[in-house]
Amino acid sequence: MSIEAAISELIPLLGDRLSRSKGDLAQHGRSETYFANMLPDAVAYPESTEEVSRILATCHAQDCPVVAWGTGTSLEGHALAARGGISLDLSRMNRVLAVHPEDMDAVVQPGITREALNTELRATGLFFSVDPGANASLGGMAATRASGTTTVRYGTMRDNVTGLEVVLADGRVIRTGTRARKSAAGYDLTGLFVGSEGTLGIITELTVRLRGQPEAISAAVCAFESVEAAVDTVIATIQSGISMARIEFVDASTARAFNLYAGREMPEKPHLLVEFHGSPAGVAEDAERLGELVAEFGGSDFAWSSRPEERNALWALRHNAYYACLGLRRGATALVTDVCVPISRLAEAVEATRADIAESPLEGPILGHVGDGNFHAILLVEPGNEAELAEALRLSSRMTERALAMGGTVTGEHGVGMGKLAYMPREHGEAWAVMGDIKAALDPKNILNPGKLVQRN
Amino acid sequence: MSIEAAISELIPLLGDRLSRSKGDLAQHGRSETYFANMLPDAVAYPESTEEVSRILATCHAQDCPVVAWGTGTSLEGHALAARGGISLDLSRMNRVLAVHPEDMDAVVQPGITREALNTELRATGLFFSVDPGANASLGGMAATRASGTTTVRYGTMRDNVTGLEVVLADGRVIRTGTRARKSAAGYDLTGLFVGSEGTLGIITELTVRLRGQPEAISAAVCAFESVEAAVDTVIATIQSGISMARIEFVDASTARAFNLYAGREMPEKPHLLVEFHGSPAGVAEDAERLGELVAEFGGSDFAWSSRPEERNALWALRHNAYYACLGLRRGATALVTDVCVPISRLAEAVEATRADIAESPLEGPILGHVGDGNFHAILLVEPGNEAELAEALRLSSRMTERALAMGGTVTGEHGVGMGKLAYMPREHGEAWAVMGDIKAALDPKNILNPGKLVQRN
Ligand SMILES: Cc1cc2nc3c(=O)[nH]c(=O)nc-3n(C[C@H](O)[C@H](O)[C@H](O)COP(=O)(O)OP(=O)(O)OC[C@H]3O[C@@H](n4cnc5c(N)ncnc54)[C@H](O)[C@@H]3O)c2cc1C
Ligand SMILES: Cc1cc2nc3c(=O)[nH]c(=O)nc-3n(C[C@H](O)[C@H](O)[C@H](O)COP(=O)(O)OP(=O)(O)OC[C@H]3O[C@@H](n4cnc5c(N)ncnc54)[C@H](O)[C@@H]3O)c2cc1C
């Protein structure tokens, strides 16, 4: 019973789709952020549910760890092979299996990326709404319960995945959910697997909700004199019932990063980036009301655009914000914080974070999906500099403790992985033990992404 | 180790809040529908989480079944004491603990009813959206993953419960979720307990989302010549992106029941009941577009109302539809079906149901939350008439098999209880075993609502 035995057994099944090449191992043993590399012993490239099932049955029998790999963009070391074993790369299972325009859903394989899915949907008048900054895989997004700029309107992966096919630790294949819009038929297994970070099962198929392309879209950028003024505008907007499709905050430092990265000329001040979806009349009405609120909170440089190219450039920039911020310091990597707090505490939380960073030697632009109360500080550190990493961890810890004290969460969207593991007892108390019990029930041998998310060793 | 021993131990704790009176047992041993009575051995009326915890710890030690009781309006025998034991009546834990207008959420105890909650919220400009026909308790609604007429816009209990306090089978108290709008911190335990029908834990506190009272509301009623015309109008409305707050279908037989019950004069034809929420301009635009679609599908008697009294009368009637339908046959009880299918199959599913009922000796009005693809046949039977009950079960079975064949679910909102238990293997396959594993992990002694929802005995 060993990793090597599992690998030997899998060779006849997968042939050269079971790789032990240095390049493959290295590529599947690194992350986008500050974690040290942790290499798998082999990388498997399954092409069907049946193959995933056989791989898991083998690894289960042999006690061999299996770590699913989507596109590897997760930010908390989720997909690192903390105990070695097999990295299960799902990129070859990347097809759209069905689109049902009348029901506004699609059935897809887990390896498809969100951009590829939306490209395939273009002709239908429908789109898939969840958009993390990275061009992540749908399986990875479901596994991390990802969200993005449009979550304030259309929800997270929790709200947009209606059914799954999952291969369990022992190789059994189950289906969760139905194609109906809602169901009260027993425990919400779909919801349980969404956000489970590959620790309870491997997602081999997803049914996702689609949205109608809005009749009209308009977008705006607006600068503010202070963080509070920007955040208070967000709160007032939400409370006035204006329905935003997107409302993003970037601070002065992020604005500077945008200017450097994309040759923009934004004033180096806090900004809101906003978008409305609706009918032409509805969008105009919303825009007018927002304009009034912006003026009330002293916003300036209020620029509207309904031109698609300008809008696309704006959101492309937002989606590249992480790389733009890394550009503020040559060769840097980052620790990305991800707290989410009740909206009523948002201004206070952002302001205290800004003050913490101002006192620290590290640079840390702040930005976020403020309509959800979710924001990130991108703490720039030199790779391998232990003192800087320690300082970044100290800042991150202050932010997470503050978020918990405010009734919030240590991770709004990135997930637990390894980076947030230490906070789980504080955030969940005894409920974390219950997560461990569920893990033990579904993966008694702890072969699925061991060392992540739950309290087991 | 016995029920009697548990009861003896609980007397000092609860005093006269542990009742064994005939009246109490009878009241907690019946349901609203066709199930035979199943009495508990005692009824407990806890007043705090601490008391619930002590009751569960005692019952756990003594292997005594505990069945939570909200208002007892569930339709599948959920709250019947199938194995005796304690009926845990939560009606004394009925307070609003906090309202956070800025965050648009409230923290409530499980025994509060939806009407009582909305009465308390009146001055805040906010409301709680989920509205099953009955004036159910929030705890019961969460436990059954209830939905209602406004789900098409605001979602089910799954979408509107953001956090819980739960007492586990052994008396441990946990908290799930946070007050932030979203979180990616581990398994979605909130979602797991919502819809678990009292089989995994007792809900002692809920954090729920509130919605802003819309600036403008308008409602309409419209008659159609056929079921298809009405359902096709619904599909066209959804696809045209018109955002309805409510869209309800009632068939000719339900219209007749309404006329008898409330002295209305609706034509005995299929109807849609619709409501819009939004800005004055938005609501007007939506109404106009719906009017065009209704005309296209040959609808008539299209009557608009923005007067609150008329609207309230309309929705009160809809909420009383079950009792109105019972009124079609003196002394009847009912088997209420609850399938939910993909919208694209809705017309076909409703039409086939109508045809089944037309061929049967039983009367069965059809109505439903058609915007979600969810509809009910209210099959009227004489209490105690075995032949009629068998016929109703036969009809119900045809409908559920058809829904499954269409990719739908056997229960859109009422839940499993005892009435839908037999369909779980068909709907879930191997996933039902996974539900059983989760049950075993959280309630190893099977004391929580035994005999319901999962595959254990
Ligand atoms: C520039 C940048 C911007 C980002 N912005 C956002 C953002 O706005 N919002 C947000 O939520 N995240 C954001 N992220 C984080 C990341 O994109 C998300 O976490 C994303 O969901 C990860 O998807 P992935 O396909 O890369 O998954 P991976 O990183 O490959 O895997 C993530 C986890 O999911 C598991 N997994 C992957 N596929 C499966 C499967 N099929 N079955 C079971 N488990 C699986 C893995 O084992 C791992 O635990 C950003 C990242 C970057 C680099
Ligand atoms: C006229 C009428 C119309 C209806 N219309 C709808 C509708 O439109 N939509 C809909 O979804 N339902 C509808 N129902 C069904 C019913 O109202 C719902 O199922 C409701 O959610 C039940 O709530 P309750 O408080 O009555 O729960 P109960 O019937 O008391 O209990 C239901 C289940 O939840 C468990 N439970 C109760 N409280 C707790 C708790 N605190 N913790 C853990 N478990 C608990 C019980 O053990 C039981 O298993 C209707 C019923 C009637 C009679």
Side-chain angles (χ1 to χ4, degrees):
Chain A
M1 300 225 295
S2 72
I3 291 174
E4 286 307 320
I7 291 173
S8 312
E9 281 188 34
L10 291 175
I11 290 171
L13 174 67
L14 296 168
D16 59 9
R17 289 186 287 109
L18 188 77
S19 167
R20 308 196 74 173
S21 84
K22 273 205 175 145
D24 262 332
L25 302 186
Q27 197 202 323
H28 293 80
R30 60 170 293 284
S31 83
E32 292 284 319
T33 57
Y34 65 94
F35 295 93
N37 295 344
M38 298 180 181
L39 271 53
D41 293 283
V43 182
Y45 295 92
E47 290 181 345
S48 67
T49 300
E50 170 66 23
E51 282 187 354
V52 173
S53 166
R54 290 174 68 181
I55 295 168
L56 263 64
T58 300
C59 291
H60 191 252
Q62 297 292 356
D63 280 323
C64 172
V66 178
V67 186
W69 183 274
T71 63
T73 65
S74 49
L75 297 171
E76 298 291 357
H78 294 77
L80 295 175
R83 315 257 164 100
I86 308 282
S87 176
L88 193 71
D89 184 320
L90 294 145
S91 57
R92 297 195 182 198
M93 292 176 66
N94 64 351
R95 282 181 306 132
V96 175
L97 300 174
V99 179
H100 304 107
E102 282 202 310
D103 299 311
M104 298 176 75
D105 67 33
V107 184
V108 303
Q109 289 187 314
I112 193 167
T113 66
R114 64 175 182 82
E115 287 178 7
L117 174 57
N118 277 322
T119 301
E120 290 215 32
L121 290 172
R122 206 167 275 167
T124 63
L126 301 170
F127 73 105
F128 176 70
S129 64
V130 188
D131 67 331
N135 185 23
S137 73
L138 271 279
M141 289 167 61
T144 58
R145 201 184 295 127
S147 49
T149 62
T150 62
T151 291
V152 66
R153 166 114 182 207
Y154 301 109
T156 71
M157 286 303 279
R158 175 184 197 266
D159 309 301
N160 286 285
V161 176
T162 57
L164 294 171
E165 179 186 76
V166 176
V167 180
L168 299 174
D170 59 8
R172 273 178 301 158
V173 181
I174 63 168
R175 290 193 161 269
T176 71
T178 70
R179 286 199 43 250
R181 290 249 172 142
K182 63 181 191 184
S183 169
Y187 306 154
D188 181 8
L189 296 184
T190 306
L192 184 64
F193 285 104
V194 170
S196 68
E197 302 184 358
T199 64
L200 295 179
I202 305 295
I203 297 167
T204 47
E205 197 181 295
L206 306 88
T207 304
V208 294
R209 288 185 67 174
L210 305 177
R211 311 290 173 157
Q213 289 286 3
E215 247 192 288
I217 301 183
S218 63
V221 186
C222 178
F224 291 85
E225 290 310 311
S226 69
V227 171
E228 293 96 316
V231 173
D232 286 345
T233 304
V234 175
I235 295 177
T237 309
I238 291 171
Q239 269 163 15
S240 71
I242 302 176
S243 141
M244 295 144 304
R246 294 168 149 155
I247 188 158
E248 296 287 313
F249 168 81
V250 300
D251 73 352
S253 168
T254 308
R256 187 160 67 86
F258 281 177
N259 291 340
L260 288 172
Y261 185 79
R264 308 275 296 201
E265 295 186 348
M266 292 166 76
E268 290 187 14
K269 292 180 182 175
H271 281 73
L272 291 179
L273 284 51
V274 188
E275 187 169 280
F276 295 112
H277 294 177
S279 67
V283 165
E285 197 179 344
D286 290 340
E288 196 184 308
R289 289 165 73 196
L290 177 68
E292 289 163 15
L293 290 174
V294 167
E296 198 173 305
F297 290 97
S300 60
D301 292 293
F302 187 57
W304 275 103
S305 160
S306 358
R307 284 204 304 129
E309 315 82 70
E310 240 173 81
R311 269 201 333 263
N312 291 345
L314 179 69
W315 297 117
L317 193 58
R318 171 62 187 89
H319 282 131
N320 283 319
Y322 179 60
Y323 300 108
C325 290
L326 288 181
L328 287 174
R329 181 174 177 185
R330 191 183 300 271
T333 184
L335 186 154
V336 186
T337 71
D338 178 39
V339 298
C340 190
V341 297
I343 303 286
S344 59
R345 310 299 296 273
L346 182 60
E348 193 184 342
V350 174
E351 194 43 57
T353 302
R354 206 199 49 74
D356 275 357
I357 294 171
E359 280 174 20
S360 163
L362 295 184
E363 187 157 14
I366 298 174
L367 71 170
H369 312 304
V370 281
D372 308 317
N374 184 205
F375 67 95
H376 315 294
I378 298 182
L379 302 170
L380 301 174
V381 296
E382 187 183 40
N385 184 328
E386 290 298 325
E388 286 196 3
L389 181 57
E391 169 63 4
L393 288 167
R394 185 190 69 83
L395 288 170
S396 165
S397 164
R398 282 180 61 86
M399 291 171 213
T400 52
E401 294 292 336
R402 192 181 295 123
L404 291 174
M406 290 177 170
T409 175
V410 305
T411 170
E413 57 180 22
H414 294 163
V416 181
M418 303 196 298
K420 291 293 186 296
L421 207 48
Y423 299 110
M424 291 301 100
R426 267 294 310 281
E427 175 151 344
H428 297 300
E430 189 66 23
W432 201 41
V434 174
M435 295 184 198
D437 292 343
I438 292 170
K439 166 75 170 171
L442 269 67
D443 179 20
K445 293 179 141 194
N446 195 21
I447 63 162
L448 291 173
N449 209 0
K452 317 284 172 66
L453 195 149
V454 286
Q455 188 176 25
R456 291 191 82 219
N457 287 307
Chain B
M1 301 226 293
S2 72
I3 291 173
E4 286 305 320
I7 291 173
S8 310
E9 281 188 34
L10 291 174
I11 290 171
L13 174 68
L14 296 168
D16 60 6
R17 290 186 288 109
L18 187 78
S19 167
R20 307 197 72 174
S21 84
K22 273 203 174 147
D24 262 332
L25 302 186
Q27 198 203 323
H28 293 80
R30 58 171 293 284
S31 82
E32 291 284 319
T33 57
Y34 65 94
F35 296 92
N37 295 344
M38 298 179 181
L39 272 51
D41 293 284
V43 182
Y45 294 92
E47 291 180 343
S48 67
T49 300
E50 169 66 23
E51 283 186 356
V52 173
S53 166
R54 291 174 67 182
I55 294 168
L56 263 63
T58 301
C59 290
H60 191 252
Q62 297 292 355
D63 280 324
C64 172
V66 178
V67 186
W69 183 274
T71 62
T73 66
S74 48
L75 297 171
E76 297 292 358
H78 294 77
L80 295 175
R83 314 256 166 101
I86 308 283
S87 176
L88 193 71
D89 184 319
L90 293 145
S91 58
R92 296 195 182 199
M93 292 177 66
N94 63 351
R95 281 181 307 132
V96 174
L97 300 175
V99 179
H100 304 107
E102 282 201 310
D103 300 311
M104 299 177 75
D105 66 33
V107 184
V108 303
Q109 291 187 312
I112 194 167
T113 65
R114 63 175 183 83
E115 287 178 6
L117 174 57
N118 277 322
T119 302
E120 289 214 34
L121 290 172
R122 206 168 275 167
T124 62
L126 301 169
F127 72 104
F128 176 72
S129 63
V130 188
D131 68 331
N135 184 23
S137 73
L138 271 280
M141 288 167 62
T144 58
R145 200 183 296 128
S147 49
T149 62
T150 63
T151 290
V152 66
R153 166 116 181 208
Y154 301 108
T156 70
M157 286 303 278
R158 175 183 198 266
D159 309 301
N160 286 285
V161 176
T162 58
L164 295 171
E165 179 186 77
V166 176
V167 180
L168 299 175
D170 59 9
R172 274 179 300 159
V173 181
I174 63 168
R175 290 193 160 270
T176 72
T178 69
R179 285 199 44 248
R181 289 251 172 141
K182 63 181 192 184
S183 170
Y187 306 153
D188 181 8
L189 296 184
T190 307
L192 184 63
F193 286 105
V194 170
S196 68
E197 303 184 358
T199 64
L200 296 179
I202 304 296
I203 297 166
T204 48
E205 198 181 295
L206 306 88
T207 304
V208 294
R209 290 185 66 175
L210 304 177
R211 313 288 173 157
Q213 289 284 3
E215 249 190 287
I217 301 182
S218 64
V221 186
C222 179
F224 291 84
E225 289 310 311
S226 69
V227 171
E228 291 97 316
V231 173
D232 286 344
T233 303
V234 175
I235 296 177
T237 308
I238 291 171
Q239 269 164 15
S240 71
I242 302 176
S243 141
M244 296 144 302
R246 292 167 150 156
I247 189 157
E248 295 286 313
F249 168 81
V250 300
D251 73 350
S253 166
T254 308
R256 188 161 65 86
F258 281 177
N259 291 340
L260 287 172
Y261 185 78
R264 309 273 298 199
E265 294 185 347
M266 293 167 74
E268 289 187 15
K269 293 180 180 175
H271 281 74
L272 291 180
L273 284 50
V274 188
E275 188 169 279
F276 296 112
H277 294 176
S279 67
V283 165
E285 197 179 342
D286 290 339
E288 196 183 308
R289 289 165 72 197
L290 177 68
E292 289 162 14
L293 289 173
V294 167
E296 198 173 303
F297 290 96
S300 60
D301 293 293
F302 187 55
W304 275 103
S305 161
S306 359
R307 285 202 304 129
E309 316 81 72
E310 242 174 81
R311 271 201 330 263
N312 291 344
L314 179 69
W315 297 116
L317 192 59
R318 170 61 187 89
H319 283 130
N320 284 317
Y322 179 59
Y323 301 108
C325 290
L326 288 182
L328 288 173
R329 181 174 177 185
R330 190 183 300 272
T333 185
L335 185 154
V336 185
T337 72
D338 179 36
V339 298
C340 190
V341 297
I343 304 285
S344 58
R345 310 299 296 272
L346 183 60
E348 192 185 341
V350 173
E351 194 44 56
T353 302
R354 206 199 50 74
D356 274 357
I357 295 171
E359 280 175 20
S360 161
L362 294 184
E363 186 157 14
I366 297 174
L367 73 170
H369 311 305
V370 280
D372 308 317
N374 184 204
F375 66 94
H376 315 294
I378 299 182
L379 303 169
L380 301 173
V381 295
E382 185 183 41
N385 183 329
E386 291 298 324
E388 286 196 3
L389 181 56
E391 169 64 5
L393 288 167
R394 184 189 69 83
L395 288 170
S396 165
S397 163
R398 281 180 61 86
M399 291 172 213
T400 52
E401 294 290 337
R402 191 181 296 124
L404 291 174
M406 291 177 171
T409 175
V410 305
T411 170
E413 58 180 22
H414 294 162
V416 181
M418 304 196 298
K420 291 293 187 295
L421 207 47
Y423 299 110
M424 291 301 100
R426 265 294 310 281
E427 175 151 346
H428 297 300
E430 190 67 23
W432 201 40
V434 173
M435 295 186 197
D437 291 343
I438 292 171
K439 166 74 170 173
L442 270 67
D443 179 19
K445 291 178 137 193
N446 196 20
I447 64 163
L448 292 173
N449 209 2
K452 316 284 172 68
L453 194 150
V454 286
Q455 188 175 25
R456 291 191 81 219
N457 286 307

